Amino acid sequence: MSYAILTLETLPAYIRSKAAELPAWFDSSATLEINELSDGNLNAVYRVSSNTASLIVKQGLPYLRVAGEAWPLSAARAGFEALALEWQHRLARGSVPEPYLFDQSMCVNIVEDLRGYQVARQPMIDRLEIAGLGSSIGGFLAQTLFGTSDFGLAAGDKKRLQAQFCNTELCEITEDLIFTEPFEAVLLDGKPNRNHFDAGIKPALETMQSNAALRLEVARLKHRFMTAGQALLHGDLHTGSIMVSDSGDLRVIDPEFAFYGPMGFDVGVFLANLYLNAIAQRGHAPNELESRAYQTYLLGEARACWDAFSSGFAAQMLTANSVSWRNAGFTDAILLEVLRDACGFAGCEMIRRSVGFAHVLDVDSIADAQTRVTVLERNLHLGSRLISQRQRIETYNDLETIIVEALT
Ligand code: SR1
Ligand code: MG
């Protein structure tokens, strides 16, 4: 079958044509009910139900879903998602939806329907305390990052896997949207600058963009993102890529930005989204007491993430596949490098979510205009500090001190 965009009308026949490859418990011959769930930036997503069973069908479109045909994007990104999901499922089973089928020609992934789960971002804006959030994500990162690195894979296997993740288009989106555009006021080398921001933030943004020392550090971080192929990253681990069930079970979704990059990027993007929420609470919580209580919860989850990641990673390093790396001093050095990288990448993520192309609801949904501007200014300030001061960090406590100062 050659590629065609699926619709509510064509999906039933498509699903029936794949019956032999789908789990036996899914009866494709029964009446199929199709519901469109698409709410992310990139793809079309459907729930297909048969009797009481259901599946999720995710199709890569030949453009960015939120921008339409004006922003072409190869639908082949679905293949990177399929391969990354396969590895995450192998290394951290139970942390991701179960993959059922990948159809290369149609750029379709069919995966487990996480019924009863919801995307974590909105409940967290509403200050839901998700028990175990930080430790689950930290554990997921320890498993997936170690397991795809040179420490966890034989050298040849790692190089062959890395070669399969030439995810150029989605990496370019990250390079442009996170590391380039937010720090520039004008057109860039003939490419567009897609920043958009609240007018009230303009003075603070101009000050940030004219900070030569900061721009130098961002240049270093961008180069590190592009060249440090340490492990297979999720590549977009914000709180919109995490689903939570009523019982608190967590799953990481949407690994289409996966590629071989610096481990601190995944850690930093996750932490940044907790920090963005913490700062935004002054615009959501009904009073300071509730805002502070949720910030304390978030700080605890951020620390739990780092603790679970670093202890899980260090434990696996005892079995690293080369004797050179079964060395406590080396493990400490690698973890410090990841922590400093995470700090810098978190800063870039906070800044781009405040002034770049893709914002976060945590900030944009703040109703009071002046509070929103204050929150945005704080994001730029904290983001800049995280970038500039990352090399001075020696332990997680040092990073937490910077965050606590930003929240007071
Ligand atoms: C052009 S896509 C915008 C953003 O959405 C994705 O979730 C990534 O975060 C990307 O930067
Ligand atoms: Mg996504």
Side-chain angles (χ1 to χ4, degrees):
M1 183 184 271
S2 58
Y3 181 85
I5 294 178
L6 290 164
T7 64
L8 296 174
E9 290 69 37
T10 60
L11 258 159
Y14 174 73
I15 291 294
R16 288 195 180 99
S17 76
K18 296 289 169 195
E21 298 163 67
L22 293 173
W25 47 257
F26 188 82
D27 180 6
S28 319
S29 64
T31 304
L32 298 179
E33 185 188 331
I34 318 282
N35 296 101
E36 180 159 11
L37 308 178
S38 319
D39 72 345
N41 287 335
L42 281 84
N43 305 295
V45 180
Y46 299 91
R47 167 176 288 136
V48 181
S49 308
S50 162
N51 300 318
T52 55
S54 54
L55 308 162
I56 292 295
V57 176
K58 180 170 177 181
Q59 185 176 38
L61 304 173
Y63 48 81
L64 192 79
R65 194 186 67 85
V66 287
E69 290 176 26
W71 190 327
L73 196 63
S74 165
R77 61 186 179 274
F80 296 110
E81 172 152 8
L83 190 56
L85 184 58
E86 184 187 318
W87 274 87
Q88 292 170 348
H89 188 247
R90 181 181 308 165
L91 293 166
R93 189 173 290 261
S95 300
V96 295
E98 186 174 346
Y100 298 139
L101 178 154
F102 170 56
D103 178 348
Q104 185 161 22
S105 58
M106 287 288 280
C107 303
V108 162
N109 280 289
I110 302 185
V111 303
E112 177 185 0
D113 184 5
L114 298 173
R115 265 188 187 275
Y117 289 68
Q118 57 179 327
V119 172
R121 189 178 296 283
Q122 183 63 56
M124 292 181 69
I125 293 171
D126 299 334
R127 293 174 305 291
L128 176 75
E129 296 195 5
I130 303 170
L133 171 67
S135 59
S136 294
I137 298 303
F140 167 79
L141 290 173
Q143 293 303 122
T144 55
L145 298 181
F146 176 88
T148 56
S149 71
D150 280 295
F151 310 127
L153 287 176
D157 293 340
K158 185 262 185 176
K159 286 181 180 68
R160 276 183 287 277
L161 184 59
Q162 181 169 11
Q164 289 182 269
F165 276 94
C166 194
N167 195 356
T168 50
E169 277 188 281
L170 270 64
C171 284
E172 189 179 358
I173 287 178
T174 301
E175 290 150 20
D176 289 344
L177 297 190
I178 299 190
F179 297 106
T180 311
E181 294 176 17
F183 301 93
E184 304 292 338
V186 292
L187 286 176
L188 314 151
D189 302 334
K191 292 174 78 175
N193 184 332
R194 293 155 289 201
N195 292 340
H196 68 101
F197 46 85
D198 193 304
I201 193 81
K202 200 156 187 257
L205 176 61
E206 285 173 353
T207 303
M208 185 197 82
Q209 288 174 337
S210 60
N211 181 338
L214 180 77
R215 292 168 63 93
L216 173 60
E217 292 310 315
V218 174
R220 287 190 215 279
L221 285 161
K222 177 176 174 178
H223 188 244
R224 189 144 178 78
F225 174 84
M226 296 174 74
T227 57
Q230 296 177 331
L232 178 59
L233 309 188
H234 176 281
D236 195 25
L237 191 49
H238 53 82
T239 48
S241 296
I242 297 169
M243 295 190 76
V244 56
S245 73
D246 289 345
S247 65
D249 187 48
L250 292 163
R251 302 291 180 96
V252 174
I253 62 169
D254 278 2
E256 64 214 323
F257 281 81
F259 82 111
Y260 262 82
M263 297 187 277
F265 184 77
D266 273 356
V267 179
V269 168
F270 175 68
L271 293 180
N273 278 266
L274 302 188
Y275 305 153
L276 284 161
N277 182 304
I279 292 178
Q281 281 304 333
R282 65 161 47 211
H284 296 296
N287 55 54
E288 187 163 348
L289 202 64
E290 285 198 35
S291 172
R292 293 274 171 224
Y294 200 67
Q295 288 173 344
T296 302
Y297 157 76
L298 290 169
L299 284 179
E301 295 308 314
R303 176 179 283 275
C305 174
W306 177 254
D307 286 349
F309 168 72
S310 54
S311 61
F313 190 87
Q316 293 176 96
M317 285 296 274
L318 297 174
T319 65
N321 60 31
S322 162
V323 65
S324 335
W325 297 324
R326 295 195 287 269
N327 171 328
F330 177 71
T331 298
D332 288 347
I334 287 285
L335 285 171
L336 180 56
E337 184 183 88
V338 175
L339 181 62
R340 288 175 173 168
D341 283 351
C343 185
F345 292 133
C348 295
E349 169 76 356
M350 293 195 74
I351 290 168
R352 75 93 169 216
R353 293 297 190 184
S354 304
V355 300
F357 172 80
H359 293 190
V360 285
L361 199 60
D362 313 48
V363 180
D364 282 6
S365 62
I366 295 173
D368 181 70
Q370 186 48 52
T371 306
R372 202 168 55 244
V373 170
T374 303
V375 164
L376 288 164
E377 285 170 350
R378 285 179 164 232
N379 290 347
L380 294 192
H381 181 71
L382 174 57
S384 301
R385 273 195 83 190
L386 292 174
I387 293 167
S388 307
Q389 298 186 4
R390 71 189 189 286
Q391 298 298 357
R392 286 189 229 157
I393 282 180
E394 297 294 338
T395 67
Y396 186 80
N397 285 345
D398 298 337
L399 169 54
E400 193 178 75
T401 300
I402 295 176
I403 306 305
V404 169
E405 283 170 10
L407 293 175
T408 51

